[in-house]
Amino acid sequence: MFKLNVRYIVKLLGMTHLLESFFMLAATGVAFGYGGCDFYPLLISTGIMSGTGLLLYLIGRKGNDSRAGRREGMLSVAFMWTMFSFFGMLPYLISGYIDNVTDAFFETMSGFTTTGATILTDIEALPKGLLFWRSLTQWQGGIGIIVFTVALMPIFGGTASQLFDAETPSITHERFLPRITQVAKRLFGIYLLLTGLIFGLLWIGPMNAYDAINHALTTVSTGGYSTKNASIAYWQSPYIEYVICFGMCIGATNITLLYFSLRRHWHKLVHDEELHWFYGIVATATVIVTAWLLIHQHETSIEKAFRQSLFQVASLISTTGYLTVDYANWGAFFTIIALFVSVVAGCAGSTSGGLKMGRFVILIKNMFNEFKKQTHPNAILPIRMSGQIIPSHIVQRVSTFAFVYMGLILLGGAILILDGLNFEEALGISVSAVSNVGPALGQYTDGNFSALSAFPKWILSFLMMIGRLEIFTVLTILLPGFWKR
């Protein structure tokens, strides 16, 4: 057994809980401003969160950062997401709007992982403060709780690299600034800017300021929580739908590319191959679904068919999960497209869940290389992305990730089938959880899982966390080799 730096982990957990209490305090302020009955539940929860954070920080304040490695980083991240979900569910339980731990934990984990699945049957019954807290969980989860942490790390003192790497184990990790805290601050700044942009665009439309800020939070994070039972369909507004489409696609774009674009390094955006594939698939799927709706008379207006197709494709491929129609009525053909785009999902370095487009492209290119090697066995065929050769160890890691990713989906589906669901629903729900999508298939296309029993909800909560942390971080901790020297 290696000697674990427990004090370092405890200090990080204390620090992040202190920071998180400020977000909960913001929701408490909203509750107070609207005079809601959720003011005291949120205030009490804020006190518990901040008190726990202070206690943990004091216990671990002498933790030696220099002895912290990847193990400490991975454990900190896994504990953080779990503990945040337990403390984050307190406002729901104390207020009584969710009356059991299973559903409250599921709702909160779904928020922090930006999955967007819910157990609430009447969202509009929740008071303003709770709805705002619900949206805030997704906004934080979108950029990653760790980014907030490392951006403010100098305040508390300590290193952030292990934490950042454990929470963002993407295909490639481009640090455009030498210090990891500088990277986090720039990403945080871009995220705030995008949130403000989406808020402004929504506010000048039919939405009031409260709905606009909530939907800005859950659009840029590709989370999908809405303040309305009917989701975006409530407004029946083409303008709102197009703005949300724009926001979802931006949220599914590599955030470092957006940073470079703002710095006028347009060539990085223009020549990024992953981005080409992403928007190519969005465009292709939208055209195919539009034609399908018109041919099979699901819709007669070309503009409306296009808008509905674009919205649902963008919602699923970005793993946001907003709805404007019940796509279960579009038939089995769209079900196949929905599964495909939900699994492939957005770009690496974005707020989306799923396999990630970059990994998908690498898998496709590797597959064609294997075909070529059948006739040219001695050929050296490197895989290139955006003109750069992808190292063989990255290709191997991507293949392993894809194998484990699909294995988790099948395992989750098998467990749900044992609980009584049919194959289509079980597979759809499992994809929804691992890819952090929200909507599923069958009667679960609205992303409401209230009909499930307690056991599958706990399994899905675990799968949502595994998917959000890109599988390796959580599963590695469960392996015996993690605990050996």
Side-chain angles (χ1 to χ4, degrees), residues 89 98 100-107 453-455 457-458 461:
M89 73 179 179
I98 299 180
N100 64 86
V101 172
T102 297
D103 285 350
F105 183 82
F106 180 92
E107 190 76 16
S453 59
F455 176 69
K457 287 175 183 173
W458 285 106
S461 296

Side-chain angles (χ1 to χ4, degrees), residues 5-12 63-65 68 72 76 159 162:
N5 192 342
V6 177
R7 283 187 178 273
Y8 173 80
I9 296 173
V10 172
K11 182 174 74 171
L12 283 177
N64 187 352
D65 298 342
E72 283 79 5
S76 298
T159 58
Q162 295 90 358

Side-chain angles (χ1 to χ4, degrees), residues 224-245:
Y225 274 162
S226 178
T227 56
K228 305 297 181 183
N229 293 326
S231 191
I232 305 303
Y234 172 87
W235 283 274
Q236 294 294 307
S237 167
Y239 171 79
I240 292 292
E241 291 174 25
Y242 282 121
V243 169
I244 294 289
C245 280

